[in-house]
Amino acid sequence: MDSMMMGAMSKNMESMTDDMAMMDMSVLQACMDACSACEQACTVCSTQLMDCAPACMNCADMCNTMMRSMMRMQGMTPATMMSMLNACIAMCQLCMDECMKHADHSEVCKMCAQACQACMDACMAMKDMMMASA
Amino acid sequence: MDSMMMGAMSKNMESMTDDMAMMDMSVLQACMDACSACEQACTVCSTQLMDCAPACMNCADMCNTMMRSMMRMQGMTPATMMSMLNACIAMCQLCMDECMKHADHSEVCKMCAQACQACMDACMAMKDMMMASA
Amino acid sequence: MDSMMMGAMSKNMESMTDDMAMMDMSVLQACMDACSACEQACTVCSTQLMDCAPACMNCADMCNTMMRSMMRMQGMTPATMMSMLNACIAMCQLCMDECMKHADHSEVCKMCAQACQACMDACMAMKDMMMASA
Amino acid sequence: MDSMMMGAMSKNMESMTDDMAMMDMSVLQACMDACSACEQACTVCSTQLMDCAPACMNCADMCNTMMRSMMRMQGMTPATMMSMLNACIAMCQLCMDECMKHADHSEVCKMCAQACQACMDACMAMKDMMMASA
C-alpha cells in the first residue's frame, strides 16, 4: 500500500478504540501487503490447474478478505481480528503444503508457497503485536 | 444453491478424504445458502452509510469467502474449515451487534441482523456436524 | 434475494435519480438472483480443473461484482450499469462456450453453461428495461 | 506484482492464442498494479462513509475482478478483455467524479480520485496495446 494512503488511513483510525488505534502501523502495512501479494500469487498458481488449485483459490479469497478487513478496522474488534488472522494463517499453511508438493517442477508453485509463508509470518506478527498491546 | 448443482457437487466430492466426504449435504447446503443471504443483506445494509457499515462490509466479504470455500472442499481440510467457520461466526456476531443498535429505526439493519444470526447458526451447525463425524 | 430485503432495498433507492429509481424491481431482483446462481455454478465448475476453469473463475468474480453493484445503485449511473452489464454478458458468453465443449461428459459443465445462459438473459432484460425507461 | 511471479505468469501464457500471448508484459503488469492500488484506495475511502462510499465499494470490487481476470488470461479472449476494461474505466471515472467533490476537505478522497485516474489510464493503455496488436 502507498505510504501516503497509509498515513491517511492511520489518521482515519484515530477515532477508534485504544486497543486498535495503538497498532504499529508498519506491522499492519506489512501484513496488508503480504495478503495482497499472496492473493496474486495464488490467483496465478490456480490457473495451472494442478491439484493445488482449489486450495489456491480458497487462499486467494481469504487473503483478499483479510486485507480488506484490515483496511476497515472501524468494523473490527481485537477478537474478530484474531479470529480472522487464525483463519488466514490456516488457509496459507494448507496452500503452502499443497504447493510445496509441486515446488520441484513448478516455479509458480514454488513462488506461491513462498508468498503463503510470507503471509503467514505477517499474520503472526500482527497477532504478536495485538497480544503485546492487550 | 440449486439442488441439481448440489447433487453434482456432492458427486464431485466423492474423491475426498472420508472426513469431508461423509458430510451431511443438507447441513452444508443450508450453510452455503445462509452465507449467500448474509452477504447480500450486509451489502445492502452497508449502502445506508450508518456506523454499522464497515462491519457489514467485512461480514459480506467473509461470508462470500466462506461460501466459496465450502464449494471448494477439495482445497480444504477439517482443520482449515473449523478455523474459517470460527472467523465467519465472529464476523457475523460483530455485525449483528452493530446492526442491532439501529434495529428500532432501520428495517434494513433489523433484517441484516437476522441474516447474521441465521448465518452464525448455520456455521455452528456445520461445526457440530464436523465434530460429530471426527 | 429475500423479498423483504428487496422491499427495504427498493425503499432505500427512493432518493436516487429518476432514471434508476423507476426500475422494475422484479427485473432487478431476477438479475441479482441469476448472478448469484451463476457465481455459485462457476465456482463449483472451476473445482473440476478442466480447461474451462479459468473462464469459470473469471465469470464467478464478474457475476459477484455485478450482483453487488446492483445492490449499491447509489454508486452507479445508467451509463456505468450498461457498461458493467455488457462485461458480465461477455464473460457469461465465454464461460458458456467453454463449458458447452464438455457438456456431454460433465454434468457440472452442463449446469454451469445453463447458469451462464440464464445470467446473460437476465442481464439483457436489465439492459432492455433501462433502454425503455431512458 | 512481484517481477519473478510476473515472469512465471508470462511463461504460463505462452500456450495462449497469438493475440493474447503477444502482449507487452510491462503494460499488463502496470495495469494489474494500478487495479490493485485502486481497490485498496477505494476500500479505505469507503470507510469514511461519505456519499462517495457506494461508488468506492463498486469500484473496489470491479478493480479486483479486473486484476484477477488479467492474471487468468487463459479464461479470457480479446473481446471479453475489451468489455471488462470498458466497465473498469466507467467505474473508475464515476468513482473519481464522486471523490473529487470532496477532494478539498478529504485527503483520502483526493488520493482515491488519483488512484482511480491512474487505473483508468492504465486500462486505456491496455486497450491501446490490444488494438495495436489486433
Side-chain angles (χ1 to χ4, degrees):
Chain A
M1 184 181 223
D2 181 85
S3 66
M4 273 177 60
M5 196 71 194
M6 192 69 207
M9 181 181 150
S10 165
K11 245 181 144 175
N12 231 13
M13 286 166 62
E14 274 169 21
S15 60
M16 291 179 57
T17 56
D18 290 349
D19 279 348
M20 303 288 265
M22 279 168 67
M23 282 188 184
D24 179 340
M25 283 295 151
S26 66
V27 176
L28 181 61
Q29 178 157 7
C31 193
M32 293 189 299
D33 288 344
C35 285
S36 178
C38 193
E39 179 194 5
Q40 294 181 14
C42 289
T43 301
V44 173
C45 195
S46 69
T47 67
Q48 298 183 105
L49 308 185
M50 294 169 76
D51 59 8
C52 54
C56 293
M57 296 182 233
N58 289 336
C59 194
D61 283 349
M62 187 64 222
C63 286
N64 180 262
T65 293
M66 186 76 245
M67 179 193 72
R68 288 181 170 206
S69 296
M70 286 186 284
M71 289 172 175
R72 296 182 297 223
M73 284 286 190
Q74 300 91 338
M76 297 295 278
T77 59
T80 56
M81 183 59 75
M82 279 294 184
S83 195
M84 296 281 287
L85 288 165
N86 285 336
C88 195
I89 289 168
M91 268 317 313
C92 287
Q93 177 74 64
L94 175 59
C95 187
M96 185 179 72
D97 291 346
E98 292 296 315
C99 287
M100 281 306 288
K101 293 179 193 166
H102 317 127
D104 284 344
H105 47 280
S106 162
E107 201 59 31
V108 172
C109 282
K110 194 175 163 184
M111 282 186 279
C112 187
Q114 287 167 347
C116 289
Q117 177 74 66
C119 190
M120 280 173 63
D121 291 346
C123 287
M124 285 177 194
M126 275 289 293
K127 285 184 67 176
D128 288 345
M129 176 182 73
M130 289 175 71
M131 281 187 280
S133 73
Chain B
M1 184 181 224
D2 182 84
S3 65
M4 273 177 61
M5 197 69 194
M6 192 68 208
M9 180 180 152
S10 166
K11 245 181 144 174
N12 232 12
M13 285 167 64
E14 276 171 18
S15 61
M16 293 180 55
T17 55
D18 290 349
D19 279 349
M20 304 289 265
M22 277 168 67
M23 282 189 184
D24 179 340
M25 284 294 150
S26 65
V27 175
L28 181 61
Q29 177 156 6
C31 193
M32 294 189 297
D33 288 343
C35 285
S36 178
C38 193
E39 179 194 5
Q40 294 182 12
C42 288
T43 300
V44 173
C45 194
S46 69
T47 67
Q48 298 183 107
L49 308 184
M50 294 169 77
D51 59 9
C52 53
C56 293
M57 296 182 233
N58 289 336
C59 194
D61 283 349
M62 186 64 222
C63 286
N64 181 261
T65 293
M66 186 76 246
M67 179 193 73
R68 286 181 172 208
S69 296
M70 285 186 286
M71 289 172 176
R72 296 182 297 222
M73 284 286 188
Q74 299 92 338
M76 298 295 278
T77 58
T80 56
M81 183 59 75
M82 278 295 184
S83 197
M84 296 280 287
L85 288 166
N86 285 336
C88 194
I89 289 167
M91 270 316 314
C92 286
Q93 176 76 62
L94 175 58
C95 187
M96 185 178 73
D97 291 346
E98 291 297 314
C99 287
M100 280 308 286
K101 293 177 193 168
H102 316 128
D104 283 345
H105 47 280
S106 162
E107 199 60 29
V108 172
C109 283
K110 194 174 161 184
M111 282 186 281
C112 186
Q114 288 167 346
C116 290
Q117 177 73 65
C119 190
M120 282 174 63
D121 291 346
C123 288
M124 284 177 195
M126 274 290 292
K127 286 183 67 177
D128 288 345
M129 176 182 71
M130 290 175 70
M131 282 187 279
S133 72
Chain C
M1 184 182 223
D2 182 85
S3 65
M4 273 177 61
M5 197 69 193
M6 192 69 206
M9 181 182 152
S10 166
K11 245 182 143 174
N12 233 11
M13 286 167 63
E14 275 170 20
S15 61
M16 292 179 57
T17 56
D18 289 349
D19 279 349
M20 303 290 263
M22 278 168 67
M23 283 188 184
D24 179 341
M25 283 294 151
S26 65
V27 176
L28 181 62
Q29 177 157 9
C31 193
M32 294 188 298
D33 288 342
C35 285
S36 177
C38 193
E39 179 194 4
Q40 294 182 13
C42 289
T43 300
V44 173
C45 195
S46 68
T47 65
Q48 297 183 105
L49 308 184
M50 295 169 77
D51 58 10
C52 54
C56 292
M57 295 182 232
N58 290 336
C59 195
D61 283 348
M62 186 64 221
C63 286
N64 181 261
T65 293
M66 186 75 245
M67 179 192 74
R68 286 181 171 206
S69 296
M70 287 186 283
M71 289 173 176
R72 296 182 297 221
M73 284 284 189
Q74 299 92 337
M76 297 295 277
T77 59
T80 55
M81 183 58 75
M82 278 293 184
S83 196
M84 296 280 288
L85 288 166
N86 286 335
C88 195
I89 290 167
M91 270 315 315
C92 286
Q93 177 74 61
L94 175 59
C95 188
M96 185 179 72
D97 291 347
E98 292 297 315
C99 287
M100 280 308 287
K101 293 178 193 166
H102 317 127
D104 283 345
H105 47 280
S106 162
E107 200 59 30
V108 172
C109 283
K110 194 174 162 185
M111 282 186 279
C112 186
Q114 288 167 347
C116 289
Q117 177 73 67
C119 189
M120 283 174 62
D121 291 346
C123 288
M124 285 177 195
M126 274 291 292
K127 285 184 68 177
D128 288 344
M129 176 181 72
M130 289 175 71
M131 283 187 278
S133 72
Chain D
M1 184 184 223
D2 182 85
S3 66
M4 273 176 61
M5 196 70 194
M6 191 69 207
M9 180 180 152
S10 167
K11 246 183 143 176
N12 232 12
M13 285 168 62
E14 276 169 21
S15 60
M16 291 180 56
T17 58
D18 289 350
D19 280 348
M20 304 289 266
M22 279 168 65
M23 282 188 183
D24 179 341
M25 283 293 151
S26 66
V27 176
L28 181 62
Q29 177 157 8
C31 193
M32 293 188 299
D33 287 343
C35 284
S36 177
C38 193
E39 180 194 3
Q40 294 182 14
C42 288
T43 301
V44 173
C45 195
S46 69
T47 67
Q48 296 183 107
L49 308 185
M50 295 168 76
D51 59 10
C52 54
C56 293
M57 295 182 233
N58 290 336
C59 195
D61 283 348
M62 186 64 222
C63 287
N64 180 261
T65 293
M66 186 76 245
M67 179 192 73
R68 288 181 170 206
S69 296
M70 287 186 285
M71 290 173 175
R72 296 182 296 223
M73 284 287 189
Q74 300 92 337
M76 297 296 278
T77 59
T80 55
M81 183 58 76
M82 279 293 182
S83 196
M84 296 281 286
L85 287 166
N86 285 335
C88 194
I89 290 167
M91 268 318 312
C92 286
Q93 178 73 64
L94 175 59
C95 187
M96 185 179 72
D97 291 346
E98 291 297 315
C99 287
M100 281 307 288
K101 292 179 192 167
H102 317 126
D104 283 345
H105 47 279
S106 162
E107 201 59 31
V108 172
C109 283
K110 195 175 162 185
M111 283 185 279
C112 186
Q114 288 167 346
C116 289
Q117 177 73 66
C119 190
M120 281 174 63
D121 291 347
C123 288
M124 284 177 194
M126 274 289 293
K127 285 184 66 177
D128 288 345
M129 177 183 69
M130 290 175 70
M131 282 187 280
S133 72

